[in-house]
Amino acid sequence: MTQHTNFSTRLDDLQKRVVTARSAVQTAATESDAQLKERIDQAQSHLDQSVQNARQEVSQTAEGARAKWAQVRADAAAKMSDVKANMDKRTHQVDAKVAAKDANWAEADAAEALDFADWAVENAQLAILDAIHARAYADKLAKAADNS
């Protein structure tokens, strides 16, 4: 399998994850509080695992592009709030104005996460195009060297 095929497969996987996330969000809007809390626990657990993996990758990779991207992932994950803690704190609120401010903050946080995801996709596209160009150029030079 060529690297180009691997990029296509990974983009297909990413697209499937977006469809799954969209479906989960749409379903969550109609779920009970208990179901929603369970869904949040699962999502938080996946994010926590991703944070752990990114930090491990940073510690294992000394330099280069892989280390830079691992650090970006670790930094972004570290900025993500602990949703479960926020949810637990929220259940103790009795003031409607405080709850409304909390909801506004959570919605703004979600919008920022979507903006970051959009930025990440744009960066991935640029990096993939650069990788394809770099491979094509290396193959061209190798072919020229073979023909010499």
Side-chain angles (χ1 to χ4, degrees):
M1 171 168 33
T2 67
Q3 189 67 15
H4 180 285
T5 304
N6 187 36
F7 291 144
S8 293
T9 300
R10 293 192 61 194
L11 286 168
D12 289 344
D13 291 345
L14 181 60
Q15 185 173 12
K16 288 175 190 171
R17 290 183 67 187
V18 170
V19 169
T20 299
R22 181 185 182 124
S23 176
V25 167
Q26 289 172 331
T27 301
T30 62
E31 289 181 328
S32 70
D33 188 58
Q35 291 170 314
L36 191 51
K37 285 179 181 179
E38 182 178 330
R39 187 179 294 278
I40 289 170
D41 284 346
Q42 290 172 347
Q44 183 74 54
S45 176
H46 290 175
L47 180 62
D48 291 346
Q49 184 62 49
S50 178
V51 171
Q52 185 177 2
N53 292 345
R55 287 183 179 147
Q56 184 176 11
E57 198 172 316
V58 168
S59 68
Q60 292 174 349
T61 310
E63 58 186 61
R66 189 167 182 85
K68 288 189 287 186
W69 283 109
Q71 187 62 55
V72 167
R73 282 181 30 228
D75 291 347
K79 286 180 172 69
M80 184 61 201
S81 65
D82 184 346
V83 175
K84 185 173 178 348
N86 289 342
M87 182 182 62
D88 291 342
K89 184 176 82 173
R90 184 177 304 132
T91 59
H92 298 296
Q93 293 175 352
V94 293
D95 185 313
K97 288 181 182 178
V98 173
K101 284 183 182 180
D102 181 53
N104 290 341
W105 179 86
E107 289 166 348
D109 195 41
E112 289 297 321
L114 286 170
D115 288 346
F116 181 79
D118 184 54
W119 173 86
V121 169
E122 293 293 328
N123 275 274
Q125 178 183 347
L126 180 59
I128 291 168
L129 293 173
D130 183 50
I132 291 169
H133 179 264
R135 178 56 57 203
Y137 185 72
D139 291 348
K140 177 182 172 183
L141 291 179
K143 185 175 182 181
D146 288 345
N147 290 335
S148 300

